[in-house]
Amino acid sequence: MSEHMSDRLRFLRAFLANPRQVGAVLPTSRWAVRGMLDLADLSAAGLVVELGAGTGVQTGEILARLGPGARLVSLEIDPDLAKLLDARYDDPRLQVVCDSAENLDTHLDGQRADVLVSALPYTSFDAGLRRRVLDLLPRALAPDGALLVIQYSPIILGELRRRFGSVTRTITPWNVPPAFLFACREPRT
Ligand SMILES: C[S@@+](CC[C@H](N)C(=O)[O-])C[C@H]1O[C@@H](n2cnc3c(N)ncnc32)[C@H](O)[C@@H]1O
């Protein structure tokens, strides 16, 4: 079986085991990943943070765009998926962390991300977890940094606008289901 197919199966298994945590039945398409990452300049970033890495569709593309001295910290709460990421990318710039995004602060040593990439399923989180994670995003981002968010509904827009001075939204039809991409700048800390 191809890596693509086995990743889809692994992802589906993770969804069936924990639907609200995974929030999608398929990994994000490569077109949506590229459309999302095109919204920020990854080649100029020193520190990139990824939340909800899954099977690594964004991880691989972020590494391909990062400079040689940059760092990527990828958080994934599912231990099986985190293990897969660790085994798949043998890249000294990458640190895979198996932990909840709500504990992000403890993994950044006081540093702030130039680009934060979030694929977390905010709409299926309970209200407390959603607020805790959303509240830490502006604090984790450098003042001139960019937060990129992918979602399957626009519901999160108001929450993002409360926390960032500038929020732009696009829709990519090249994903199942079509995805909303948000680029957020000017963190309100
Ligand atoms: C919609 S999937 C996206 C996966 C992948 N980035 C993609 O685009 O295909 C959401 C991912 O977030 C992970 N996740 C859910 N809650 C999390 C949390 N609190 N902290 C870190 N990761 C979490 C899930 O295990 C899942 O892999």
Side-chain angles (χ1 to χ4, degrees):
M1 195 191 307
S2 70
E3 187 176 280
H4 181 67
M5 277 310 290
S6 65
D7 278 358
R8 284 177 157 218
L9 278 177
R10 219 186 295 254
F11 197 89
L12 182 61
R13 261 202 305 273
F15 172 79
L16 293 173
N18 213 333
R20 285 166 67 90
Q21 183 172 285
V22 176
V25 290
L26 288 174
T28 304
S29 73
R30 80 178 64 134
W31 298 280
V33 168
R34 288 178 186 155
M36 181 182 189
L37 300 182
D38 284 349
L39 299 173
D41 183 5
L42 282 153
S43 66
L47 174 63
V48 178
V49 172
E50 182 187 17
L51 303 177
T55 51
V57 285
Q58 280 102 353
T59 317
E61 186 65 26
I62 294 168
L63 288 171
R65 294 178 184 214
L66 273 190
R71 202 157 74 90
L72 169 60
V73 178
S74 291
L75 269 78
E76 171 51 55
I77 200 168
D78 183 315
D80 291 335
L81 295 175
K83 218 179 292 168
L84 169 82
L85 292 169
D86 234 350
R88 176 159 298 165
Y89 299 106
D90 182 20
D91 188 316
R93 298 171 300 172
L94 172 65
Q95 179 192 356
V96 176
V97 176
C98 184
D99 196 0
S100 173
E102 64 197 302
N103 302 321
L104 177 62
D105 288 357
T106 61
H107 302 290
L108 294 187
D109 308 322
Q111 275 189 283
R112 287 172 172 232
D114 300 300
V115 181
L116 246 171
V117 176
S118 171
L120 296 172
Y122 293 107
T123 51
S124 61
F125 281 177
D126 69 58
L129 176 60
R130 182 167 62 243
R131 200 197 55 249
R132 287 196 297 282
V133 176
L134 287 170
D135 280 351
L136 68 77
L137 297 176
R139 293 197 310 269
L141 192 65
D144 56 353
L147 162 70
L148 309 180
V149 178
I150 183 165
Q151 292 290 282
Y152 297 126
S153 97
I155 289 173
I156 203 77
L157 180 62
E159 299 269 22
L160 295 173
R161 285 204 170 128
R162 264 195 287 287
R163 293 166 174 88
F164 294 87
S166 160
V167 180
T168 61
R169 182 186 70 170
T170 54
I171 299 175
T172 173
W174 313 115
N175 193 69
V176 182
F180 293 83
L181 306 175
F182 302 91
C184 312
R185 293 182 164 82
E186 302 168 21
R188 302 188 210 272
T189 49

